[in-house]
Amino acid sequence: MNSKSSSLSSISDLFRPNNPKRLRSRDLSSTRLSVLKKEIQTDMHLIPLKDLFVLLGTDPVQGLTSTRAAELLEYYGPNTLTPATQYGWPKVLFKSLCTGFSILIWLGASLCLIAYLIEISTKPNASSDNLYLGCVLIAVDVICGLFSFYQNYKSSKIMKTFNNMIPQYSNCIRDGVLNSETQVHDLVKGDLVQVKIGDVVPADIRIINSKGFKVDNSSLTGESVAVPRSNSEGTANILESPNVAFFSTQCVEGWALGVVMCCGDLTALGRVAGLAARLQPAPSPLSREIIRFMRYVSAWALLLGLFIAGSSIVLGYPFMQTTVFVIGIIVANVPEGLQPTITAALTLTAQHMIKKNCLVKNLEAIEALGACTTICSDKTGTLTENKMCVQHIWMANASYFVMEPEFNSLIQHNLAFRDLKNCGALCSTATINTTGEIHGDASETAILNFFGKYDDLKSIRKILPKVAEIPFNSVNKYQVSVHLNSVTSTYLVVMKGAPECILTRCTTIALEKKDASLTTEIRKAADTACDNLANTGERILAFADLILDPAKYPLNYNFDTDNLNFPLEKLRLLGIMGLMDPPRKEVRRSIERVREAGVRVMMITGDHPATARAIALEVGIATTENCHVLTGSDLRNMTPDLLNWTLEKHYEIVFARTSPTQKLQIVEACQRSGGVVAVTGDGVNDAPALRRADIGISMGITGSQVSKQTADIILMDDNFATIVTGIEEGRKIFDNLKKSVCYILISNVPEILPVLVFILFSVPLPLGVMTILCVDLGTDMWPAVSLAHEPAESDVMARPPRTSDPLVSSRMLTLVYGHLGLIEFTAGMFAYFIVMAEHGFYPAELFGIRRYWDNEAINDVRDSLGQEWTYAERKELERACQATYFVAVVVMQITNGIICKTRYNSLFHIGMRNKVLNFGLLFEFALSCMICYIPGVNNFFRTYPLRWRWWFLALPFSVLMFIFDELRKYCIRRKMFGGWFNKLTYY
């Protein structure tokens, strides 16, 4: 006792407001997180109450003194939830702007501005192209960063949703005086508090005294049924202990007096809130892919920059000019359009998923769901309907399934059913309002809804008014009420409760036509029926009644429910009912589809193991009775290695009676094995697991505000089947992102190589900075984004989850840089040389001409025909050539957009049914025309009003690209040449 209590005391010190450990704020938050990840270790609910009062220094009648309460409040701090160490919004914004691929774009922008500064310091009439490009890159980064900031800043408000669950005032006894206006944040350990129906429990309390006290624990434990709490013996697991009521749970029946054991951060709610606020979500697979790609691009750009630097020095270029060249080649390698393309594609997919009842809060979660390997599913509300229903009835020594079509005809003249219906209507604390709406706990509501189909329950209650009642409690495990039958002038006692408590009190049984003695055979039949219903996971209740002798219990008899003065023995057994939260009809097929996609599904619930197993079998999570079921007690005795081994050994596994900490442990164990984990949940207890998972999925209808705030995705229909849609969409968007990235990277090749040709062979620059900008952030954007609208490939749900399939693979780079990109570059250079040749500069004359071409002092450069060209004329021709090269790239990119529609199938099989892409290709052509022909615009972008025949110069290469790609895909489908193209270019 002392060790556990002292341990709890030291933990309390760690959460004191004045930071007694003198740790840095980040270290303090990390230390608190490690403490919160552990199970609650305390015996304060197990020791005798008198010892607890001594330990807490309080009086069981007078409570704490005001002076002592003030001292404790000052020492331990208020009864509130302390937020984790959080960054202010400027730091969150900075992190959003400077993570992932944005770092590369910031580098490119910085280099552009440096190049501009070098040029204006070395040239009298320096170009502003690098300045414009740098500013555009900054704008792109800021816009995309703001999207990320919006997501990150929203997640920092998790703790606020927890604090919304805390009441403002409580009924507290201090100095022997009950004060109903005591503020909850002023409560301390040792305070005595009263809780009555409708109140929210203001701290974790040990029950001292109670009557009919029931609390709704669903937010913390996941149990959908209100549970009784009283001054009884505690259990080892405090979350299941019947003598403890937890902070933020609501009293739904009765009243209780309790002593505060824990406040604030160390309550069960505080631990959940602390975990949810301090845990860092796992980076999404897409963000990991982008970081990986960023490293490759950076390494490639730096290597190419070093090569250019060495080559330029060997060729005799000045140092400052070499620096500009290196900067130019590094910037040319940055695919500026990639980040906005991915953001736009994910945004469009998120909007599409809203129509399918799936609200996406974190854009990257869409793609992560497609990569999911394991789904840890909650039971209540996700796999089931979150609505208790009567499933089976045993009465008159026979079992009935209430959903059978012939059930109604079987009970029409059954006297046992009539009396069972009356008992169910009367022995209930649920209320029925004037409109017929029922208010009560889940089980009683289900019973009244069932019997309400066969009779007017309000009339039954009116004929038989209640005169006395014994509420259900965890010790007796039954509920009793006494009703006056004014017609016969007798009293009727009705009882319901656990079958083992009711059956022992019964001596007779109601049959179809008459009553009979409750024989040993019938008792065995009743026990067998209970066992069968328990094995299906149903909650079992037995019903009985007794008509009191009017001679002994006349009218106006004073019934005493505290000191019983009426019999609860020799009752008549009316029947046994099995209630269950039934599984959703569509869930079984959904789980089959998920399994076909190679995704493992595990159930994690706070419900009873038998209930969990039964539901798992019914929905298909378990396919045999031998499904491995682990309880919270089992997990408590497991090491992390043993848990990992268990997850590997048992594919079909169900976790029952789990705590929030244990659910988090299961998620982290799945992630340690390399899995991408999706977690579904709707309660406060699910928040830590939702936060830590790769994809947190909350319920939109039954989900708490905490779970919705924490999750990445919200299912608006609370339906597991919607997750299947999400997985399909996630896999589709990953496939389509590959196509978009390939499309963007192909245009990167004809942007990089002209700079290399310009530097190494001293030709006039074939493609300017501004025209590169036009391609990356202008003409390419719509087609690249529109590829996200491509339908899913037929095998998308038949593949196993991707584990080693990167967004940008070596095969893609081989196809981009070794095949299609080179064709596009050749088309651009062909168009460039043709325009130069038409104006007198044959290709052979262009090599080595750059130092004369770019010299403003030289106005007599001769072409191949002997014509002299001034500097202004040369620059005008250069603009025309660069515009022609740009147009050639646009024409090739239109073809590229068509062939990137599919990675495997022929275009003739797929067709051109993507209308968004079709309009995008038309937009690409129209935009390039506007850039070339609109006065002012063409001056800004350094383009030129081209002759129309120059638009057709790239067409032969366009046809070549199309034929080559169709042939490549044909070879891939047929695995020709020993699968050479598959290994080389099938990305």
Side-chain angles (χ1 to χ4, degrees):
M1 181 186 80
N2 292 335
S3 62
K4 287 187 177 181
S5 299
S6 61
S7 172
L8 186 65
S9 177
S10 64
I11 294 173
S12 299
D13 285 340
L14 185 65
F15 285 83
R16 282 171 52 194
N18 60 355
N19 188 5
K21 304 291 185 180
R22 297 294 184 264
L23 297 171
R24 290 186 307 167
S25 59
R26 185 176 297 180
D27 293 336
L28 179 63
S29 185
S30 176
T31 306
R32 286 174 173 173
L33 175 61
S34 63
V35 168
L36 294 174
K37 278 189 173 183
K38 298 175 183 177
E39 289 291 316
I40 301 174
Q41 296 291 326
T42 180
D43 56 6
M44 297 177 74
H45 62 297
L46 300 175
I47 63 178
L49 273 173
K50 61 179 182 179
D51 294 339
L52 180 62
F53 292 138
V54 172
L55 180 67
L56 296 176
T58 190
D59 185 271
V61 177
Q62 300 293 319
L64 292 172
T65 64
S66 300
T67 304
R68 179 59 179 162
E71 291 173 356
L72 291 173
L73 182 64
E74 183 179 359
Y75 186 80
Y76 287 111
N79 178 32
T80 56
L81 305 181
T82 307
T85 301
Q86 294 178 351
Y87 301 114
W89 70 263
K91 288 188 177 180
V92 175
L93 179 60
F94 178 78
K95 289 183 69 177
S96 302
L97 293 172
C98 301
T99 55
F101 199 78
S102 60
I103 296 174
L104 200 59
I105 298 182
W106 279 115
L107 176 63
S110 302
L111 292 176
C112 286
L113 297 177
I114 291 171
Y116 172 70
L117 292 174
I118 291 173
E119 286 194 274
I120 61 173
S121 64
T122 56
K123 293 182 180 179
N125 297 313
S127 170
S128 300
D129 290 359
N130 282 317
L131 174 64
Y132 296 147
L133 179 57
C135 292
V136 170
L137 291 179
I138 291 171
V140 168
D141 229 343
V142 168
I143 291 170
C144 293
L146 288 175
F147 270 97
S148 177
F149 167 72
Y150 178 66
Q151 301 294 334
N152 293 335
Y153 194 63
K154 281 198 303 181
S155 65
S156 68
K157 299 179 180 178
I158 292 174
M159 190 61 78
K160 291 183 179 179
T161 59
F162 278 99
N163 280 315
N164 290 337
M165 301 171 62
I166 300 173
Q168 295 293 316
Y169 300 97
S170 63
N171 301 313
C172 178
I173 299 174
R174 286 181 185 166
D175 300 315
V177 178
L178 174 65
N179 182 2
S180 59
E181 296 297 320
T182 303
Q183 295 203 9
V184 168
H185 65 72
D186 289 338
L187 290 181
V188 294
K189 288 191 295 184
D191 268 328
L192 301 184
V193 293
Q194 282 188 355
V195 183
K196 57 183 183 298
I197 186 170
D199 289 347
V200 175
V201 180
D204 285 1
I205 62 172
R206 168 90 178 263
I207 307 300
I208 300 172
N209 192 16
S210 66
K211 184 171 184 179
F213 184 55
K214 280 188 179 182
V215 290
D216 179 7
N217 268 359
S218 59
S219 62
L220 284 176
T221 64
E223 287 185 287
S224 54
V225 179
V227 289
R229 290 290 182 258
S230 61
N231 179 13
S232 55
E233 188 175 346
T235 60
N237 182 3
I238 189 172
L239 293 177
E240 297 178 7
S241 189
N243 61 355
V244 176
F246 295 106
F247 194 20
S248 82
T249 59
Q250 187 171 31
C251 171
V252 294
E253 285 185 33
W255 60 269
L257 174 68
V259 58
V260 175
M261 299 190 307
C262 286
C263 294
D265 295 314
L266 292 177
T267 60
L269 174 73
R271 288 171 175 265
V272 172
L275 281 173
R278 289 173 174 84
L279 284 169
Q280 291 302 312
S284 72
L286 183 60
S287 65
R288 292 197 294 265
E289 285 296 323
I290 290 175
I291 291 171
R292 175 176 168 273
F293 176 58
M294 181 187 74
R295 290 172 182 163
Y296 287 159
V297 170
S298 302
W300 166 246
L302 290 173
L303 286 174
L304 201 57
L306 290 174
F307 170 74
I308 290 301
S311 302
S312 300
I313 292 171
V314 170
L315 292 173
Y317 287 104
F319 175 76
M320 297 303 287
Q321 186 66 59
T322 299
T323 304
V324 173
F325 287 162
V326 171
I327 290 173
I329 204 68
I330 292 175
V331 172
N333 273 279
V334 177
E336 295 89 353
L338 182 60
Q339 187 168 359
T341 296
I342 291 175
T343 303
L346 292 175
T347 302
L348 288 172
T349 305
Q351 292 175 348
H352 176 66
M353 290 180 71
I354 290 176
K355 299 175 184 176
K356 298 185 178 182
N357 295 317
C358 189
L359 176 63
V360 179
K361 292 173 58 188
N362 179 6
L363 293 179
E364 290 185 357
I366 307 170
E367 186 278 329
L369 196 53
C372 174
T373 60
T374 305
I375 298 176
C376 296
S377 178
D378 189 23
K379 177 185 75 70
T380 306
T382 309
L383 301 176
T384 63
E385 295 180 356
N386 194 26
K387 183 175 64 176
M388 294 292 285
C389 297
V390 176
Q391 295 281 102
H392 292 90
I393 293 178
W394 182 90
M395 61 183 179
N397 201 17
S399 293
Y400 301 90
F401 178 51
V402 300
M403 301 298 178
E404 289 179 352
E406 60 271 18
F407 176 74
N408 290 347
S409 59
L410 292 173
I411 62 169
Q412 271 188 351
H413 305 292
N414 192 321
L415 297 180
F417 181 78
R418 181 199 66 188
D419 294 336
L420 178 64
K421 175 187 62 183
N422 290 341
C423 181
L426 297 172
C427 191
S428 174
T429 57
T431 59
I432 307 172
N433 63 20
T434 53
T435 61
E437 190 177 354
I438 299 168
H439 296 279
D441 72 27
S443 297
E444 295 198 337
T445 301
I447 293 169
L448 294 183
N449 278 327
F450 172 70
F451 286 129
K453 301 175 185 175
Y454 304 98
D455 209 336
D456 182 3
L457 304 185
K458 292 176 68 177
S459 298
I460 296 174
R461 290 185 170 189
K462 188 173 183 180
I463 294 171
L464 297 164
K466 186 186 297 184
V467 296
E469 181 178 30
I470 302 175
F472 184 92
N473 65 67
S474 57
V475 178
N476 297 330
K477 294 185 178 179
Y478 62 71
Q479 177 182 346
V480 176
S481 59
V482 182
H483 299 263
L484 172 64
N485 188 334
S486 55
V487 176
T488 60
S489 299
T490 58
Y491 289 105
L492 173 68
V493 178
V494 288
M495 175 186 281
K496 75 175 179 189
E500 63 270 21
C501 297
I502 304 296
L503 286 171
T504 57
R505 298 173 181 272
C506 295
T507 55
T508 59
I509 182 172
L511 299 179
E512 288 189 30
K513 302 295 182 183
K514 60 180 182 177
D515 297 343
S517 176
L518 188 59
T519 63
T520 304
E521 290 77 13
I522 296 178
R523 286 183 185 276
K524 288 182 178 178
D527 290 337
T528 301
C530 289
D531 291 339
N532 292 336
L533 293 178
N535 290 333
T536 63
E538 296 182 31
R539 188 184 184 208
I540 311 162
L541 291 173
F543 295 78
D545 69 359
L546 174 67
I547 299 176
L548 297 179
D549 185 353
K552 295 181 179 179
Y553 303 96
L555 295 179
N556 299 321
Y557 181 81
N558 186 21
F559 290 92
D560 188 350
T561 56
D562 293 323
N563 300 303
L564 287 179
N565 60 354
F566 60 96
L568 293 180
E569 304 290 338
K570 298 182 179 181
L571 306 177
R572 178 180 62 154
L573 179 63
L574 301 176
I576 298 168
M577 298 182 73
L579 295 93
M580 195 175 188
D581 182 6
R584 293 176 179 269
K585 296 177 181 178
E586 65 279 6
V587 164
R588 188 175 186 87
R589 174 57 190 149
S590 300
I591 289 178
E592 287 176 1
R593 289 194 65 199
V594 167
R595 283 195 158 183
E596 288 168 3
V599 181
R600 181 184 189 183
V601 183
M602 299 187 299
M603 181 195 294
I604 306 177
T605 178
D607 275 346
H608 192 275
T611 305
R613 185 195 295 272
I615 294 294
L617 284 166
E618 194 159 349
V619 300
I621 290 177
T623 55
T624 66
E625 291 283 348
N626 297 325
C627 166
H628 194 64
V629 178
L630 278 178
T631 64
S633 299
D634 299 327
L635 285 170
R636 204 167 288 112
N637 299 321
M638 277 187 171
T639 63
D641 290 339
L642 182 56
L643 178 57
N644 293 343
W645 179 84
T646 305
L647 289 171
E648 290 176 9
K649 182 180 178 182
H650 301 282
Y651 184 80
E652 294 181 354
I653 191 166
V654 171
F655 297 93
R657 292 293 192 207
T658 54
S659 68
T661 304
Q662 290 168 340
K663 191 167 186 177
L664 174 63
Q665 290 169 355
I666 296 165
V667 171
E668 291 183 332
C670 293
Q671 289 175 328
R672 280 196 300 272
S673 64
V676 177
V677 184
V679 172
T680 70
D682 57 1
V684 175
N685 61 318
D686 299 313
L690 289 171
R691 177 75 169 158
R692 186 70 182 91
D694 297 280
I695 314 106
I697 305 171
S698 174
M699 304 298 110
I701 300 173
T702 60
S704 64
Q705 287 302 315
V706 171
S707 66
K708 292 177 186 178
Q709 185 71 45
T710 311
D712 302 302
I713 293 174
I714 299 175
L715 304 183
M716 305 308 292
D717 55 358
D718 286 15
N719 197 335
F720 187 90
T722 308
I723 299 176
V724 182
T725 304
I727 291 175
E728 187 172 359
E729 287 291 330
R731 293 188 174 189
K732 183 186 82 170
I733 192 60
F734 184 76
D735 284 353
N736 290 341
L737 280 176
K738 275 192 164 189
K739 298 171 187 177
S740 297
V741 172
C742 183
Y743 173 84
I744 289 170
L745 291 181
I746 288 174
S747 67
N748 223 34
V749 177
E751 294 171 358
I752 297 170
L753 292 183
V755 181
L756 285 174
V757 171
F758 167 70
I759 296 168
L760 299 178
F761 300 105
S762 289
V763 301
L765 185 62
L767 188 66
V769 171
M770 297 305 292
T771 41
I772 289 175
L773 191 62
C774 291
V775 173
D776 287 348
L777 298 175
T779 57
D780 269 4
M781 285 300 295
W782 188 339
V785 173
S786 64
L787 286 169
H789 289 270
E790 284 296 315
E793 297 183 25
S794 56
D795 66 336
V796 71
M797 290 299 284
R799 309 175 200 156
R802 63 179 185 86
T803 53
S804 59
D805 183 20
L807 180 66
V808 181
S809 62
S810 58
R811 295 179 181 182
M812 179 189 289
L813 297 177
T814 302
L815 178 64
V816 167
Y817 289 100
H819 295 79
L820 302 179
L822 289 180
I823 296 174
E824 203 163 299
F825 166 69
T826 305
M829 291 306 296
F830 174 76
Y832 168 83
F833 283 129
I834 288 294
V835 175
M836 280 290 189
E838 283 190 8
H839 289 82
F841 287 96
Y842 295 162
E845 301 292 333
L846 292 173
F847 292 92
I849 200 176
R850 192 189 66 81
R851 59 179 175 175
Y852 305 110
W853 187 277
D854 289 338
N855 193 331
E856 295 182 42
I858 300 175
N859 287 300
D860 57 353
V861 173
R862 292 180 179 273
D863 61 19
S864 302
L865 303 178
Q867 304 172 103
E868 292 184 351
W869 290 73
T870 64
Y871 176 78
E873 291 170 338
R874 294 195 304 270
K875 285 300 172 181
E876 186 176 2
L877 175 58
E878 183 181 288
R879 278 180 58 186
C881 292
Q882 290 180 354
T884 308
Y885 190 106
F886 161 70
V887 165
V889 171
V890 169
V891 171
M892 296 301 291
Q893 281 295 92
I894 291 174
T895 307
N896 181 20
I898 294 170
I899 65 176
C900 282
K901 281 170 59 68
T902 169
R903 298 183 297 130
Y904 181 82
N905 293 316
S906 169
L907 180 69
F908 298 104
H909 174 72
I910 297 296
M912 294 294 293
R913 290 186 288 271
N914 186 345
K915 294 181 180 179
V916 181
L917 176 62
N918 297 341
F919 281 114
L921 298 177
L922 291 174
F923 169 79
E924 186 169 10
F925 175 76
L927 182 60
S928 60
C929 289
M930 288 188 283
I931 290 171
C932 289
Y933 293 106
I934 296 179
V937 175
N938 53 18
N939 285 330
F940 179 79
F941 287 109
R942 308 289 192 270
T943 55
Y944 194 80
L946 302 178
R947 298 171 187 172
W948 283 105
R949 67 172 182 271
W950 293 346
W951 284 84
F952 299 96
L953 294 174
L955 280 183
F957 298 90
S958 176
V959 174
L960 173 64
M961 176 186 271
F962 181 81
I963 294 173
F964 167 78
D965 200 64
E966 281 293 315
L967 179 62
R968 179 184 67 86
K969 291 170 185 171
Y970 178 81
C971 294
I972 287 172
R973 291 194 299 273
R974 302 289 176 133
K975 295 187 178 178
M976 297 176 68
F977 308 112
W980 183 75
F981 270 110
N982 299 63
K983 297 174 185 176
L984 190 67
T985 64
Y986 181 42
Y987 64 94

